[in-house]
């Protein structure tokens, strides 16, 4: 089972690094539940979210540093980098580079990523782009 779970994570990484959302169904369940408040549930919403990322950061690249498998769960630490060349959450292209890490946890069901939780430093991401994240949120 662990090998299949690791293969799912590798397929996720490959999808990001190839910028090809058409491969989403190879690793993500159609009824995918996402606990990230900016990503709607479902495979189509997940594909649309990543397409927005690819449009905003056409050179985005991710590296998986740690992948831990336990039962039906996968946890991983990922490092992303890219150049902000398109609109990202309403912020016009800045040309700045962005580098951040995420901690992700997935639940696997029927051989696919069925549910997802992540932890990101959104304020730190926007700070790298020269934008006050909290001002964007109206805080």
């Amino acid at each position: 089972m662990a090998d299949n779970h690791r293969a799912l994570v590798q397929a996720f990484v490959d999808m990001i690094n190839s910028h090809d959302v058409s491969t989403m169904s190879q690793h993500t369940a159609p009824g995918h539940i996402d606990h990230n408040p900016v990503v709607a549930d479902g495979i189509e919403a997940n594909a649309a979210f990543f397409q927005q990322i690819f449009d905003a950061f056409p050179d985005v690249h991710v590296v998986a540093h740690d992948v831990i498998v336990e039962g039906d769960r996968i946890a991983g630490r990922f490092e992303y980098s890219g150049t902000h060349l398109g609109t990202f959450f309403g912020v016009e292209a800045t040309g700045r580079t962005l580098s951040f890490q995420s901690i992700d946890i997935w639940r696997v069901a029927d051989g696919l990523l069925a549910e997802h939780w992540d932890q990101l430093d959104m304020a730190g991401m926007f700070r790298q782009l020269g934008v006050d994240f909290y001002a964007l949120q109206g805080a």
Side-chain angles (χ1 to χ4, degrees), residues 57 82 84 88-89 91-92 94-101 120-137:
F57 300 91
H84 184 212
F88 178 63
F89 288 102
V91 177
E92 295 296 323
T94 63
R96 293 182 179 205
T97 58
L98 175 70
S99 177
F100 68 94
Q101 292 191 10
L120 305 168
D121 176 11
M122 294 294 286
M125 291 168 57
F126 280 95
R127 188 171 31 259
Q128 291 178 59
L129 301 179
V131 175
D132 181 349
F133 174 73
Y134 298 105
L136 285 176
Q137 302 302 305

Side-chain angles (χ1 to χ4, degrees), residues 43-67:
I43 193 169
E44 295 82 10
N46 218 267
F49 172 77
F50 277 101
Q51 188 58 60
Q52 290 175 351
I53 298 296
F54 303 151
D55 292 345
F57 300 91
D59 61 346
V60 69
H61 182 79
V62 64
V63 175
H65 289 293
D66 297 300
V67 176

Side-chain angles (χ1 to χ4, degrees), residues 28-46:
T28 301
H32 185 267
I33 299 166
D34 206 306
H35 296 280
N36 182 320
V38 300
V39 183
D41 293 343
I43 193 169
E44 295 82 10
N46 218 267

